[in-house]
Amino acid sequence: MTALRPIPAGSTSIAVLANALGVDPPAGPDTVVSGVTLDSRSVQSGDLYAALPGATTHGARFASGARDAGATAILTDPVGAQLVAEQGVVLPVLVHPEPRAVLGHLSALVYGTDRLKMPLIGITGTNGKTTTAYLIHSALVALGRQVGLIGTVETRIGDERVRSVRTTPEAPDLHALLATMAQRGMDACVMEVSSHALSQHRVDGVIYDLALFTNLSQDHLDFHHDMEDYFAAKASLFTPARSQSGLVCVDDDWGLRLAGQSEIPIDTLTTQPGGLADWTVTIDPHDPHRFVLRGRGDELHLVSALPGAFNVTNTAMAAAALLLLGVDGAAAQRAVLADPHVPGRMERVVLDDGRDDLPAVVVDYAHTPDAIRAALEALRPVTAGTLVCVTGAGGDRDRDKRAAMGRAAALADVVIVTDDNPRSEDPGSIREAVLRGARAETGGVTVLEVGDRREAIARAVAIAAGVEPGGDAPGATALVAIMGKGHETGQEIGGEVHPFDDRAEAFSALEAAATQLGEASA
């Protein structure tokens, strides 16, 4: 995403940036900088162009194009400085051995985000980041606040929305967004903070007023060396360089460990019966969606708008965050009850005609073993008939989790293994790993392989509707859970992204099933 740029409210000199780096300023007249970018195609007049070494080429090779587009200075490493000189580019050059490691702090100086008055809430964890962010965002909006949102699905500045390319933007884009939010009068910003962003310095220069940790389970081990490395990245958010205070869910061992080693003041939260924490959750034995949150003298009676125990946790985290941000208990209780729409997270797909003879369909972003298991465990109690799960695994990502994803999917009655985003890998080999896990489970689960995702969704709905053998007839009590892609609107195959939306495909499949049921009853 190309960042929304703030209206320049001033400028920063190269001398100031050099001083921040602890190096001598470049020779010649002092130069002013009004923006920062690491993409030569996005350079605007007055920008500092960050020419970073990349996986395939060095950004300094595009220095002449950046100059022609209006860049007034360049940040790079010693190799990049040589490349800039070879092109005859006459611009002030700041040289640092690790330019990416200082890019966030320089961006904060240029955009003035080192002195933001707008509260920032950062959320990290394997699962629940997006849902918790939306819950906090919708609650603050319900309280009459103007709120920014940065995350996996989209970026919001008040009512303006821009689709996100990654969970957490690159440092220059992030600081530009925060400065834009401040200029437009946002009262707060809620954002997801990925482990990639923490490892790659994307949130450097940002100080969160409150950091949240939801949980940790296997994911992204194609990027991180192991779970210890993955945890260390998440834990780095809970240091004075990045956050002032934290809220940590201690329902898993990783949360307990983080709470014990955090370098900033921490509040803990647990949903476990008899668990010890600053905030405790007591679930209504007659309604698993209702619960009481207690802590620091407050007692909130809340309802999770989304199914599943994990969404009780997400709701409790959102409510506790509001209280820690100074929201009155009664107001927080009302605000959290505002019905949030979280794209691709337990999102229902229904026909507009309100037919009651079709199966329920839910689209969810679950793409880890724990997330798939939790989603199906949440859906099982509300599914009287056949539970059908459509799932697959992404290519060029953590291979070790694929069989475990299949085993988790086998909690359903019917598992249809299909393609997710194969990327550069052979789709058949990915499916085989997921199938191996699903078929290893006993208990009468039916496991099918349908490589084409559109066909897999259509077949799942047909089975659940009873128009194809293997499900109920009629299908009103059945449910289809489509896992993995959630809000995504494209499918990446062989380096090309094809338009694809699980929700749209599910809607079409429901229409087809409705037609077949109508013809059968005619």
Side-chain angles (χ1 to χ4, degrees):
M1 179 191 70
T2 299
L4 294 165
R5 291 285 192 104
I7 300 169
S11 57
T12 304
S13 73
I14 283 293
V16 170
L17 299 182
N19 182 65
L21 292 179
V23 300
D24 293 331
D30 199 6
T31 303
V32 297
V33 174
S34 56
V36 186
T37 183
L38 49 67
D39 186 344
S40 62
R41 298 164 296 182
S42 301
V43 169
Q44 297 182 23
S45 180
D47 273 357
L48 171 71
Y49 171 51
L52 307 183
T56 58
T57 190
H58 199 296
R61 296 189 182 278
F62 306 101
S64 60
R67 173 202 57 200
D68 296 343
T72 58
I74 295 173
L75 168 70
T76 191
D77 61 5
V79 172
Q82 181 63 35
L83 291 170
V84 171
E86 290 173 359
Q87 296 172 66
V89 174
V90 182
L91 287 175
V93 178
L94 293 172
V95 182
H96 192 276
E98 295 184 66
R100 180 177 283 278
V102 298
L103 183 56
H105 295 287
L106 296 187
S107 297
L109 287 173
V110 172
Y111 289 116
T113 48
D114 57 331
R115 49 187 183 275
L116 275 179
K117 296 181 181 178
M118 173 180 64
L120 301 179
I121 302 98
I123 305 166
T124 198
T126 304
N127 301 309
K129 294 189 299 295
T130 299
T131 299
T132 304
Y134 271 86
L135 288 166
I136 296 173
H137 179 273
S138 65
L140 289 171
V141 170
L143 290 168
R145 314 282 179 85
Q146 290 290 312
V147 190
L149 175 72
I150 301 173
T152 304
V153 179
E154 62 187 347
T155 293
R156 292 187 184 183
I157 303 179
D159 295 330
E160 185 174 356
R161 301 184 180 191
V162 180
R163 183 179 297 169
S164 295
V165 173
R166 54 176 61 88
T167 298
T168 312
E170 292 284 4
D173 291 345
L174 175 56
H175 285 278
L177 281 170
L178 293 175
T180 301
M181 290 179 184
Q183 281 189 349
R184 296 188 186 180
M186 297 297 106
D187 299 308
C189 173
V190 186
M191 66 176 289
E192 300 174 50
V193 185
S194 69
S195 61
H196 289 68
L198 290 160
S199 299
Q200 296 176 337
H201 301 284
R202 292 189 217 152
V203 294
D204 285 5
V206 176
I207 303 293
Y208 296 95
D209 294 84
L210 180 64
L212 277 65
F213 175 88
T214 56
N215 52 64
L216 195 76
S217 63
Q218 183 177 343
D219 200 12
H220 303 307
L221 295 190
D222 55 301
F223 177 80
H224 298 286
H225 300 304
D226 50 31
M227 287 297 292
E228 286 294 328
D229 185 51
Y230 185 27
F231 171 72
K234 297 288 190 184
S236 71
L237 181 60
F238 298 82
T239 59
R242 286 184 163 147
S243 300
Q244 294 183 2
S245 62
L247 173 63
V248 175
C249 179
V250 293
D251 284 349
D252 66 25
D253 290 341
W254 297 107
L256 286 167
R257 181 173 163 185
L258 176 59
Q261 73 177 51
S262 174
E263 300 175 31
I264 59 174
I266 289 292
D267 270 60
T268 55
L269 180 146
T270 184
T271 66
Q272 300 303 308
L276 298 176
D278 299 301
W279 301 89
T280 61
V281 170
T282 304
I283 298 174
D284 187 330
H286 305 294
D287 184 346
H289 296 117
R290 295 184 177 275
F291 65 96
V292 179
L293 174 68
R294 295 183 178 89
R296 297 191 177 276
D298 283 298
E299 180 174 297
L300 274 61
H301 294 259
L302 301 168
V303 180
S304 172
L306 300 167
F310 58 96
N311 279 315
V312 167
T313 305
N314 295 336
T315 304
M317 289 287 286
L322 292 176
L323 295 170
L324 291 172
L325 291 168
V327 176
D328 172 75
Q333 179 172 287
R334 291 193 303 272
V336 172
L337 295 178
D339 188 18
H341 173 69
V342 187
R345 272 65 177 176
M346 287 293 188
E347 185 173 358
R348 289 287 302 272
V349 179
V350 295
L351 297 186
D352 297 331
D353 58 10
R355 294 182 58 144
D356 61 2
D357 60 342
L358 292 170
V361 178
V362 172
V363 172
D364 194 76
Y365 191 55
H367 58 278
T368 68
D370 281 1
I372 292 171
R373 184 177 297 104
L376 293 175
E377 287 175 346
L379 295 170
R380 172 61 76 186
V382 297
T383 307
T386 301
L387 177 58
V388 184
C389 176
V390 178
T391 192
D396 302 332
R397 299 293 188 269
D398 185 0
R399 288 175 167 82
D400 291 340
K401 71 178 182 179
R402 293 172 184 173
M405 291 171 67
R407 289 193 295 273
L411 290 173
D413 301 304
V414 179
V415 176
I416 300 180
V417 176
T418 188
D419 293 342
D420 189 285
N421 291 310
R423 299 185 176 90
S424 70
E425 281 195 68
D426 171 46
S429 65
I430 300 173
R431 294 196 302 273
E432 178 55 36
V434 180
L435 285 163
R436 187 164 54 250
R439 288 170 175 160
E441 294 299 299
T442 58
V445 61
T446 299
V447 181
L448 306 172
E449 179 181 9
V450 182
D452 182 272
R453 193 172 181 90
R454 179 175 289 108
E455 182 184 346
I457 292 172
R459 191 166 178 186
V461 172
I463 290 172
V467 297
E468 181 174 322
D472 301 322
T477 59
L479 187 145
V480 177
I482 305 171
M483 303 290 184
K485 291 175 60 59
H487 65 281
E488 294 178 0
T489 56
Q491 185 179 28
E492 187 176 347
I493 304 172
E496 184 177 352
V497 178
H498 304 267
F500 197 96
D501 188 323
D502 281 355
R503 296 162 296 186
E505 297 302 330
F507 189 88
S508 296
L510 284 169
E511 287 185 317
T515 299
Q516 289 179 274
L517 288 171
E519 291 172 350
S521 62

